[in-house]
Amino acid sequence: MGERQFAPFAPQLVLETDGDSQVMSPSRTYHVGRDPTGEIVLTDPRVSWHHAVLHADGDHWTLDDTGSTNGTWAYGRRVSHLDLAPGSTVRFGSAEDGPYATLSALPEAPATAQAPSALTAITGSYRPPTRVRPLPAKVTRIGRATDNDLVLADLSVSRHHAELRARPDGRYEITDLDSHNGTYLNGSPVSTALVEPEDLVGIGHSMLCLVGDQLQEFVDTGDIDLNVEGLVVEVGEGKVLLDQVTFPVGQKCLLAVAGPSGAGKSTLLNALTGLRPADHGTVRYDGRDLYRDYAELRRRIGLVPQDDILHTQLTVRRALRYAAELRFPGDTEPAERAARVEEVITELGLEQRADQVISSLSGGQRKRVSVALELLTKPSLLFLDEPTSGLDPGMDRSVMHMLRDLADDGRTVIVVTHSVLSLDLCDRLLLLAPGGKIAFYGPPGETLDFVGFGQWPEAFEAFENDRARDWAGQYHDSDAHRRYIADAMARPARPGAAAAPPAPVRPPQGWWSQLGTLVRRYATALTADRTFLAVMIALPFVMGAMARALAGSKLTQETALNGLLILCVGGVLTGAANAVRELVKERTIYQRERAVGLSRSAYLWSKIVVLGTVTVAQAVVLTMVGLAGVKLRPQGGGGVVLPPLLEITIAVAMLSFTAMMLGLLISALVKKEEVTMPLLVLLAIVQVVFCGALLQLNGVPVLNQLSYLIPSRWALAAMAASIDLRQVVPGKLTQDPLFEHSLGVWLLDLGMLAALSLLFGLLVARLLRRHEPAVMRG
């Protein structure tokens, strides 16, 4: 296959409106109207909310009126459709004095080494300004709302995001107005900072730069390139996973990354997305160092892992709406989020399945939903890890066609794949050899001829069998390397771009907003899981009935220990069973959401709030079914400070909650969901053995000390203190000081349950950090 043939594009034009100007890219559609989310916002009341649409049609631009009330006017007449060219002037709402737009040709970029724009000097990537306006005399307020001086129609921008202020000394400073996604100066988040000429101020998908007496705006619309230079990743004692990987990825390019197992494909994906930065080398996002500016640029990167990043119990629309709540600023109106969700659903052809539960979708459709989730924030770079794994050839082809369309719409798409069925749809193929070296980079159709095989299976066998072949050396000395890598990357890099650690990452929402969204999403997902609901409801009734059968009508020397033991077992099982799968089964979801700013503590607390509420309710049911109506102190007397039944309920509830925290700890420790059930059984056995109802622990070295880490030990002790078990069941086993019927001992028993819950929670938070992208660990 040769180079892909593209239809001719309309030229870039400069659109001037009310003193502002912006560059029109043929890869985009521009909506004109009063709607603040449109690309061209006109606040004149004579302009309709959705007035007209500007778009490229082949090799020229056209304007279509979308049924506006007061019309679109050109050359003194009302028009519904108009072909545009440099010099065209159009008025909206009135032929005489309506707001107007004038189109002019974009000046050619200078061919000299001197910077044609500020952006070139900063990043080394020529990018004409999207919009130019005079520098403010005093203050320019920037944000998404229409009452700002500079309106950025971008849902990642807060309504009132930042202010650019002129200082008395003639210099300028940028001040963040407590925005949700932050304001960045040269890639680093700032609250207030001086802005020097040619500094880059990042807000959402826009960059602002002071150039002379102008404020230039550069909007990232997706037409960006990616340059990968000398990536090296090492692990252990000098083992190299990536070895001097260098290649360019052009605008609107669909790049496939292939190679045998162990060639470093996943390592490369982590390095390109910034999840695990390379040890050496750089990744340049449109000329900017991705690692250094990761805090700002991470929101322009979409990543679809091989595993689902969705709660499959939810419907497509509901899952996307919860994702939109987490990824957009807290001041985004529900209608704005819903509109973006519907836009993405339409873009990926999911209209007929929007209200279908995700778990009922086919593999290909589920992959589309995962892509839809990433497209919510309009990323310019989209990475996919094995998106066609497990799909039949027809679905494989369908998914690759979808990726082809996404690239043609103005994104750079990079897909790691083992499938060679649809490589003809890709612009470039990066073939990695064992050891993380480049065996070929170029058009997929030239690959087999270059490596000297007629079929792909033969080529992959050669990687395994011909270990002595210098794949990387042969490619480096070839004409293909010169054409597709050396010549394509022959331009100066940004001077002085020394490597630096990534800046801290801010969450996209406030902590409480994130917690609220996570709690609602998690509760919805749990209630949609009928199997979980059935077990959750049945378990406390079954265990409570067993406890009542053993306790009888009153607690006696024969029944007391057995009844309390079953309550302990029931409390442990209900709490731990609720939580033991919850973190490991969502690990892929957590890793992806953490990479785009999810708060670790908000995520953990959402689990604690929802599961804790369920667990405590189960504990109350368990205790009431087991002991309501049972004579708890037949010898007479009450509890330590409260009625015995209430004190026992508190102890069982705290035991269940602590067991739930222990279940979360196990879930954070294990690597696979399948091992959680055997560990749950082991956990229950340990709780029974070390609770103090079967074995004497008091005074037994080592065993007694180990039992202090067992929640059931303290729960049984608290219940024993409440009913004065030493009096009900006299004997050596019950003469444990922790069973004493006194306020101090009872509070100690409950206090230790609380302390263990806190300890387990801290350990879970620490373990969650271990599963996070390297750049997010803080």
Side-chain angles (χ1 to χ4, degrees):
M1 185 189 80
E3 293 287 295
R4 283 182 59 87
Q5 300 298 313
F6 296 98
F9 285 112
Q12 288 185 320
L13 296 178
V14 176
L15 178 75
E16 296 184 13
T17 56
D18 192 26
D20 286 346
S21 64
Q22 60 178 302
V23 176
M24 311 285 287
S25 170
S27 65
R28 300 184 65 196
T29 297
Y30 295 83
H31 298 83
V32 183
R34 297 201 324 274
D35 184 355
T37 64
E39 288 76 16
I40 303 172
V41 181
L42 303 174
T43 58
D44 192 295
R46 293 170 293 180
V47 177
S48 296
W49 190 257
H50 299 118
H51 196 106
V53 174
L54 272 165
H55 62 93
D57 184 4
D59 60 355
H60 67 283
W61 285 86
T62 63
L63 180 143
D64 293 302
D65 186 276
T66 55
S68 64
T69 302
N70 296 317
T72 302
W73 302 81
Y75 310 111
R77 59 186 177 86
R78 185 166 181 167
V79 296
S80 59
H81 174 84
L82 183 67
D83 290 335
L84 300 171
S88 298
T89 298
V90 183
R91 286 191 179 273
F92 303 93
S94 171
E96 291 79 25
D97 59 353
Y100 69 89
T102 300
L103 291 154
S104 58
L106 180 69
E108 291 294 327
T112 66
Q114 295 180 353
S117 72
L119 194 57
T120 301
I122 299 242
T123 70
S125 170
Y126 176 70
R127 185 74 63 196
T130 307
R131 183 163 46 175
V132 177
R133 58 186 293 132
L135 282 173
K138 293 183 179 178
V139 176
T140 293
R141 175 166 284 195
I142 305 165
R144 196 176 75 252
T146 56
D147 60 351
N148 289 285
D149 302 301
L150 179 56
V151 178
L152 303 181
D154 180 352
L155 287 181
S156 64
V157 176
S158 297
R159 296 184 64 82
H160 298 101
H161 196 108
E163 286 182 348
L164 182 65
R165 300 169 180 167
R167 292 160 44 107
D169 60 3
R171 303 165 76 187
Y172 288 86
E173 66 181 17
I174 188 73
T175 298
D176 184 78
L177 300 179
D178 196 26
S179 67
H180 288 286
N181 284 335
T183 301
Y184 300 85
L185 183 65
N186 297 325
S188 298
V190 295
S191 297
T192 297
L194 283 173
V195 182
E196 302 292 346
E198 299 185 353
D199 279 348
L200 288 182
V201 176
I203 297 177
H205 285 75
S206 296
M207 289 187 296
L208 306 175
C209 189
L210 310 183
V211 181
D213 60 353
Q214 296 178 337
L215 176 62
Q216 295 187 359
E217 179 190 355
F218 303 85
V219 179
D220 185 346
T221 61
D223 295 339
I224 63 99
D225 50 31
L226 189 75
N227 275 2
V228 180
E229 304 173 20
L231 292 192
V232 176
V233 174
E234 299 176 340
V235 294
E237 303 206 355
K239 183 180 179 181
V240 178
L241 301 183
L242 287 182
D243 190 356
Q244 294 296 330
V245 173
T246 298
F247 61 91
V249 188
Q251 299 175 14
K252 300 184 181 180
C253 178
L254 174 56
L255 166 67
V257 180
S261 297
K265 299 185 296 297
S266 296
T267 303
L268 177 62
L269 187 70
N270 289 334
L272 296 181
T273 55
L275 297 182
R276 198 290 190 189
D279 299 306
H280 306 284
T282 59
V283 179
R284 295 196 177 278
Y285 176 104
D286 213 31
R288 301 177 65 185
D289 189 321
L290 175 65
Y291 297 159
R292 185 187 55 250
D293 297 350
Y294 183 79
E296 177 187 350
L297 297 178
R298 65 191 171 91
R299 292 186 181 87
R300 307 185 197 178
I301 297 174
L303 172 62
V304 180
Q306 184 174 349
D307 297 326
D308 285 329
I309 51 175
L310 305 153
H311 287 84
T312 56
Q313 308 95 322
L314 304 178
T315 64
V316 172
R317 180 175 281 114
R318 179 164 282 183
L320 293 178
R321 287 190 174 182
Y322 280 129
E325 282 191 51
L326 288 172
R327 298 195 181 197
F328 291 137
D331 63 3
T332 308
E333 295 294 333
E336 293 178 290
R337 293 195 300 266
R340 180 57 189 156
V341 167
E342 296 305 316
E343 185 180 346
V344 169
I345 287 175
T346 301
E347 182 177 1
L348 291 178
L350 293 167
E351 302 98 317
Q352 302 301 318
R353 296 172 176 82
D355 294 312
Q356 193 170 337
V357 176
I358 295 172
S359 60
S360 67
L361 298 177
S362 67
Q365 294 299 334
R366 286 168 73 163
K367 193 60 64 177
R368 284 180 179 267
V369 180
S370 293
V371 173
L373 186 149
E374 291 301 308
L375 293 186
L376 286 171
T377 53
K378 298 184 178 181
S380 300
L381 274 174
L382 181 62
F383 294 88
L384 300 100
D385 188 8
E386 298 285 356
T388 61
S389 177
L391 302 183
D392 61 58
M395 281 293 183
D396 181 301
R397 189 75 174 174
S398 175
V399 169
M400 291 302 292
H401 270 295
M402 172 189 69
L403 301 182
R404 177 72 263 168
D405 292 340
L406 291 175
D408 290 340
D409 283 344
R411 301 176 187 89
T412 298
V413 181
I414 299 177
V415 52
V416 172
T417 181
H418 277 107
S419 173
V420 296
L421 297 177
S422 301
L423 292 180
D424 59 304
L425 296 175
C426 301
D427 301 302
R428 292 287 184 267
L429 170 65
L430 173 64
L431 185 62
L432 291 176
K437 300 178 181 180
I438 296 181
F440 180 81
Y441 178 82
E446 299 180 15
T447 310
L448 287 176
D449 287 341
F450 179 85
V451 297
F453 296 96
Q455 301 292 330
W456 281 107
E458 297 172 353
F460 279 89
E461 284 181 357
F463 283 125
E464 181 65 28
N465 299 330
D466 193 0
R467 294 293 182 125
R469 181 172 172 177
D470 185 6
W471 300 91
Q474 290 177 9
Y475 178 70
H476 186 273
D477 296 334
S478 69
D479 182 63
H481 178 273
R482 178 188 59 79
R483 286 187 291 141
Y484 301 128
I485 294 183
D487 290 351
M489 300 183 69
R491 64 173 183 174
R494 174 184 174 180
V505 175
R506 294 181 53 169
Q509 281 186 293
W511 191 90
W512 287 105
S513 297
Q514 279 200 7
L515 177 63
T517 300
L518 290 167
V519 165
R520 286 186 289 109
R521 183 180 69 176
Y522 186 39
T524 303
L526 285 185
T527 54
D529 188 339
R530 295 182 180 180
T531 302
F532 176 83
L533 278 178
V535 173
M536 178 183 70
I537 293 171
L539 186 58
F541 283 98
V542 172
M543 298 302 298
M546 293 174 61
R548 176 170 285 276
L550 290 173
S553 60
K554 63 180 180 179
L555 295 183
T556 65
Q557 184 171 354
E558 291 75 25
T559 64
L561 268 175
N562 290 334
L564 297 185
L565 175 61
I566 292 298
L567 286 181
C568 283
V569 174
V572 168
L573 283 179
T574 53
N578 287 343
V580 76
R581 297 182 304 122
E582 292 308 300
L583 297 182
V584 64
K585 77 178 184 181
E586 289 187 2
R587 186 158 296 159
T588 303
I589 299 175
Y590 173 73
Q591 288 172 335
R592 180 62 196 134
E593 292 185 340
R594 181 73 175 124
V596 293
L598 178 70
S599 166
R600 182 193 311 146
S601 59
Y603 176 78
L604 178 55
W605 271 106
S606 72
K607 299 295 183 185
I608 294 173
V609 168
V610 176
L611 291 176
T613 301
V614 170
T615 298
V616 169
Q618 288 176 302
V620 172
V621 171
L622 166 65
T623 310
M624 291 303 170
V625 171
L627 296 183
V630 176
K631 201 166 189 179
L632 301 178
R633 295 205 65 187
Q635 74 277 18
V640 177
V641 290
L642 299 169
L645 180 60
L646 182 55
E647 288 187 1
I648 292 176
T649 302
I650 293 172
V652 175
M654 291 190 67
L655 170 62
S656 296
F657 185 88
T658 307
M660 178 207 76
M661 297 300 296
L662 183 54
L664 288 177
L665 178 60
I666 293 173
S667 193
L669 274 169
V670 300
K671 294 183 178 180
K672 294 183 179 180
E673 188 178 344
E674 293 79 11
V675 304
T676 56
M677 288 301 106
L679 288 175
L680 178 62
V681 174
L682 178 62
L683 173 65
I685 294 174
V686 171
Q687 298 295 321
V688 170
V689 171
F690 284 93
C691 69
L694 302 177
L695 298 176
Q696 180 179 341
L697 299 173
N698 179 48
V700 180
V702 182
L703 284 183
N704 191 37
Q705 286 71 34
L706 283 176
S707 72
Y708 293 162
L709 296 175
I710 307 301
S712 61
R713 171 84 159 101
W714 301 101
L716 181 72
M719 290 187 283
S722 293
I723 65 171
D724 196 1
L725 186 66
R726 297 203 294 188
Q727 182 180 353
V728 176
V729 185
K732 193 173 181 180
L733 182 66
T734 60
Q735 297 308 304
D736 193 319
L738 297 179
F739 292 0
E740 183 181 340
H741 183 70
S742 68
L743 178 61
V745 170
W746 185 70
L747 291 177
L748 171 65
D749 294 335
L750 296 183
M752 285 301 298
L753 285 172
L756 287 174
S757 294
L758 178 61
L759 173 63
F760 296 153
L762 293 174
L763 291 175
V764 172
R766 186 68 181 177
L767 289 170
L768 280 176
R769 179 182 180 274
R770 186 182 65 175
H771 298 298
E772 294 171 0
V775 293
M776 301 296 297
R777 295 173 187 168

